[in-house]
């Protein structure tokens, strides 16, 4: 199956390759990035806005260490396929949900819920369980070995037929 | 906005929670993003930069930059591989898997037996399912994990993908 890749020109790619981490911490970060990439500050800002509008960019900013930032939990629920979209919508409406995926398994909906602390997280999980009428698989993290550092984009592979 | 609006403690220090809540939504894409955030939370630009520098140094912020939605880029074969490892081996295998270039995330989670016996999770992202499976097969062989029960859960659909929200502000 060919990959459908929207148009990303050289500047888009270099921005994504160079700045998934180490955004310059200064008053005009986009000017500093532009200088390194041989572009103008206005170009960089415009590209970032465009990538964000096209939903390629979730945001420009920090990724917090979730263990230090507050409480979070991976949870899963098994629902009939016919009800999957409706249950996913209910999960999405729950406060604190930041990821929600359908996966190939009896446990077919997987989501991450976050909160300021464990008590708030527990209250949110209980409220969602009550709404869904069934228990959630609760899978707290015990130890992280490699978490969300950004990874290289395989541009050539994306372009291959 | 008045600079006297934020809560300052007896040392004149600003409560940074408002800044953290704003940061979770990402930087405004303007020439002076920190200044824009500073105006919204009643700090100076220098104070905002100092807090962010401190949070980076302390490890609260793990990385700062472009947070990409891989699915939108065309990286759509996203496999969560789960393993049922002996407790005594899970940390060592976890570190070995984390060092594999194809593994984008790797962590130990609490089992939820009997429904869920798996205690190690890793992610392998790729453009195509068959390539991801080939990479996984290669990892299993090289890391000698042939006897470890595992399951591969490809994602079918992303219903939501955004940054974590931890602060009490901006949340019900």
């Amino acid at each position: 199956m060919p990959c459908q890749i929207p148009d990303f020109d050289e500047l888009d790619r270099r921005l994504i390759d160079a700045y998934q981490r180490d955004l310059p911490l200064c008053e005009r970060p986009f000017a500093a990035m532009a200088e390194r990439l041989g572009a103008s500050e206005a170009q960089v800002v415009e590209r970032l806005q465009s990538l964000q509008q096209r939903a390629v960019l979730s945001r420009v900013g920090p990724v917090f260490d979730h263990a230090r930032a507050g409480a979070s939990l991976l949870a899963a629920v098994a629902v009939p396929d016919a009800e999957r979209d409706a249950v996913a919508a209910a999960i999405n409406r729950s406060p604190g949900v930041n990821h929600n995926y359908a996966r190939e398994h009896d446990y077919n909906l997987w989501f991450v819920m976050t909160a300021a602390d464990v008590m708030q997280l527990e209250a949110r999980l209980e409220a969602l369980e009550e709404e869904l009428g069934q228990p959630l698989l609760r899978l707290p993290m015990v130890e992280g070995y490699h978490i969300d550092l950004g990874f290289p984009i395989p541009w050539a592979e994306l372009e291959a037929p | 906005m008045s600079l006297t609006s934020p809560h300052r403690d007896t040392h004149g220090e600003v409560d940074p929670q408002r800044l953290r809540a704003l940061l979770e939504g990402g930087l405004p894409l303007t020439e002076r993003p920190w200044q824009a955030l500073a105006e919204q939370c009643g700090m100076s630009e220098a104070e905002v930069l100092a807090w962010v520098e401190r949070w980076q140094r302390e490890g609260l912020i793990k990385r700062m930059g472009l947070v990409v939605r891989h699915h939108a880029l065309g990286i759509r074969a996203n496999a969560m591989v789960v393993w049922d490892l002996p407790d005594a081996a899970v940390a060592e295998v976890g570190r070995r898997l984390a060092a594999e270039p194809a593994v984008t995330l790797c962590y130990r989670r609490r089992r939820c037996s009997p429904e869920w016996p798996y205690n190690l999770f890793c992610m392998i992202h790729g453009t195509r399912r068959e390539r991801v499976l080939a990479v996984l097969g290669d990892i299993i062989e090289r890391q000698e994990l042939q006897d470890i029960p595992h399951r591969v859960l490809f994602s079918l659909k992303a219903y939501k993908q955004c940054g974590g929200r931890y602060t009490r502000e901006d949340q019900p």
Side-chain angles (χ1 to χ4, degrees):
Chain A
M1 186 171 61
C3 293
Q4 300 300 314
I5 172 170
D7 290 330
F8 298 105
D9 74 5
E10 189 66 19
L11 183 55
D12 292 326
R13 293 179 191 209
R14 291 169 64 213
L15 265 173
I16 290 170
D17 288 343
Y19 288 111
Q20 286 185 63
R21 67 191 78 169
D22 300 331
L23 191 90
L25 194 54
C26 59
E27 290 174 3
R28 294 177 69 172
F30 306 126
M33 291 158 66
E35 190 175 1
R36 180 173 146 197
L37 297 174
S40 71
E41 182 182 30
Q43 273 179 310
V44 166
V45 169
E46 185 271 323
R47 287 315 166 88
L48 293 174
Q49 287 169 343
S50 163
L51 289 169
Q52 198 154 49
Q53 275 159 16
R54 291 149 71 189
V56 170
L57 210 53
S58 168
R59 65 192 181 281
V60 177
V63 175
F64 287 96
D65 180 336
H66 76 94
R68 295 179 196 228
S72 75
L73 185 90
L74 177 70
V77 66
V79 303
D81 279 339
E83 295 169 24
R84 203 186 75 196
D85 286 353
V87 174
I91 292 169
N92 278 359
R93 283 195 301 272
S94 296
V97 169
N98 65 343
H99 282 77
N100 184 11
Y101 290 91
R103 293 192 178 276
E104 295 171 345
H105 192 276
D106 287 345
Y107 281 99
N108 52 354
L109 285 173
W110 291 78
F111 59 95
V112 175
M113 187 176 262
T114 62
D117 56 41
V118 173
M119 276 180 61
Q120 188 186 39
L121 180 64
E122 191 56 31
R124 288 175 172 182
L125 289 165
E126 281 175 14
L128 182 57
E129 273 179 339
E130 190 164 329
E131 183 182 350
L132 300 182
Q134 63 172 311
L136 301 168
L137 205 55
R138 300 180 188 207
L139 303 165
M141 184 182 298
V142 177
E143 191 177 11
Y145 307 110
H146 181 56
I147 306 172
D148 192 20
L149 299 173
F151 62 86
I153 305 300
W155 299 108
E157 202 179 310
L158 286 166
E159 278 177 343
Chain B
M1 169 172 287
S2 159
L3 282 177
T4 57
S5 60
H7 301 292
R8 288 180 190 261
D9 66 17
T10 50
H11 308 291
E13 189 119 321
V14 179
D15 175 5
Q17 289 309 305
R18 172 85 182 130
L19 174 62
R20 259 187 67 180
L22 287 170
L23 273 176
E24 287 177 352
L27 295 183
L29 300 177
T30 61
E31 290 184 0
R32 296 277 292 270
W34 303 112
Q35 177 61 33
L37 289 179
E39 284 166 14
Q40 289 178 66
C41 62
M43 292 185 186
S44 70
E45 187 179 38
E47 279 176 317
V48 166
L49 284 164
W51 273 110
V52 172
E53 192 276 328
R54 173 174 164 179
W55 287 334
Q56 286 187 320
R57 185 164 25 89
E58 291 174 347
L60 174 66
I61 292 175
K62 282 190 308 181
R63 71 171 165 111
M64 173 82 78
L66 278 63
V67 182
V68 172
R69 286 201 182 91
H70 296 99
H71 196 266
L73 269 177
I75 301 171
R76 292 180 183 167
N78 157 8
M80 181 172 82
V81 188
V82 296
W83 313 80
D84 176 8
L85 277 149
D87 289 343
V90 64
E92 192 239 323
V93 174
R95 288 190 199 101
R96 269 161 47 199
L97 287 180
E100 287 281 347
V103 169
T104 50
L105 293 166
C106 187
Y107 33 73
R108 179 181 184 180
R109 293 191 179 278
R110 199 172 71 200
R111 298 176 208 270
C112 202
S113 297
E115 299 91 344
W116 193 258
Y118 306 103
N119 58 348
L120 186 70
F121 289 60
C122 70
M123 296 284 175
I124 302 177
H125 288 77
T127 52
R128 292 152 207 233
R129 183 184 188 100
E130 60 272 21
R131 287 195 197 190
V132 168
L133 289 172
V135 165
L136 176 62
D138 178 54
I139 289 173
I140 287 171
E141 193 167 316
R142 282 187 293 101
Q143 300 286 355
E144 300 183 341
L145 298 171
Q146 294 90 340
D147 298 331
I148 305 298
H150 75 275
R151 292 287 302 262
V152 184
L153 284 74
F154 277 99
S155 63
L156 294 165
K157 182 170 181 174
Y159 287 104
K160 195 172 202 178
Q161 190 183 9
C162 65
R165 299 272 176 166
Y166 301 96
T167 53
R168 290 191 186 278
E169 287 197 48
D170 303 337
Q171 271 187 30

